[in-house]
Structure formats: structure tokens, C-alpha cells
Amino acid sequence: MWLTWTLLLVAVGTEIAWGLSLKALSFYHAGRLFLALPLVLSLINMYLLAHVMRALPAGLTYAVWTALGTLGIVIVGAVLFHERLSPAQLICIGLCVAGVVGLKVLS
């Protein structure tokens, strides 16, 4: 079971990298070679997510993946790309984390 959760966290990491790679392409005007990066990350991400869903319920897997992926992109986007976060946004992020923890604890 630990391997399954580890793979889910790796899938979350590739989701964060995917989202940030898209932002980086638009932010830094990277060359055509870097266009392949989001595609490769997306393929890896979907493979891992499908593999994890064999062992965990789809709803739980998807909720953890989307919430933690969103959280990671918001935080790293704020650090790397100087995106502003309002207090209301920070509260909503906290609610997302609380929801994921609640799903894990109650499952």
C-alpha cells in the first residue's frame, strides 16, 4: 500500500511539473525543444494515475491528485513566477488540504 501512495505522490509531482512547464513555456518563451516536456510529463502522469487507480478508489485518487497538484502549482507559481496570493486564496488552499487529509483519514 505504501508503494501505491508513493506512486500517487510521484504522479502529483509530475502534475505539478506539467503545470509549471506550461507556465514556463509562456513565461520564458522557451524553444520548440521544450514543447515536448509538457507532453512527456502528461504521459507519465496519466500512466501513474491509472496504475494507482488499480489499488485505490478512483474518487480518492483523483481528489488527492487534483488537490495536491493544485496546491503545489499555486505555491511554486507564487515562488517562481511571483504570482500573488490573497488571504482568501490561502484559506481556500488550507481547505483543500483539510479535505484531502479528511478523505485519507476517513477512507
Side-chain angles (χ1 to χ4, degrees):
M1 187 57 73
W2 285 104
L3 178 61
T4 302
W5 282 97
T6 302
L7 288 176
L8 180 55
L9 291 178
V10 173
V12 168
T14 59
E15 174 71 4
I16 294 167
W18 172 81
L20 294 172
S21 70
L22 292 176
K23 177 70 174 185
L25 280 173
S26 65
F27 194 77
Y28 295 117
H29 304 291
R32 290 184 184 181
L33 176 63
F34 291 102
L35 290 174
L37 183 60
L39 295 173
V40 170
L41 287 169
S42 184
L43 290 172
I44 294 169
N45 191 8
M46 290 299 114
Y47 173 79
L48 290 170
L49 195 61
H51 186 74
V52 168
M53 283 188 181
R54 292 178 188 166
L56 294 177
L60 174 65
T61 302
Y62 191 71
V64 169
W65 179 71
T66 56
L68 294 181
T70 301
L71 175 68
I73 291 172
V74 167
I75 291 171
V76 178
V79 172
L80 291 181
F81 302 108
H82 309 291
E83 297 173 347
R84 293 182 182 248
L85 295 173
S86 70
Q89 288 173 310
L90 293 173
I91 290 170
C92 291
I93 290 169
L95 290 172
C96 285
V97 171
V100 168
V101 170
L103 283 171
K104 170 63 177 138
V105 169
L106 298 173
S107 66

